[in-house]
Amino acid sequence: MAGFGSFREFYPFYPREHRDRTCRRLHVLGSGAALLCLLAAFMTGR
């Protein structure tokens, strides 16, 4: 992956890499699972 000097340079790359429907769905599931884990850790104190 090429280095990016700013968000403006990075952003055109990001949508191209995530245009596949399965990729987007996996990101949503993974992000949701991570948030649930953080919430559970906060609620239980572990």
Side-chain angles (χ1 to χ4, degrees):
M1 183 171 101
F4 299 99
S6 69
F7 183 74
R8 184 177 293 239
E9 292 176 13
F10 166 75
Y11 188 74
F13 167 79
Y14 186 81
R16 280 192 309 269
E17 292 296 308
H18 295 87
R19 66 182 155 220
D20 180 58
R21 175 182 268 178
T22 301
C23 179
R24 287 192 312 268
R25 288 181 177 175
L26 289 173
H27 274 95
V28 168
L29 288 173
S31 296
L35 288 174
L36 287 174
C37 287
L38 287 173
L39 179 63
F42 178 75
M43 298 297 285
T44 63
R46 294 170 133 189

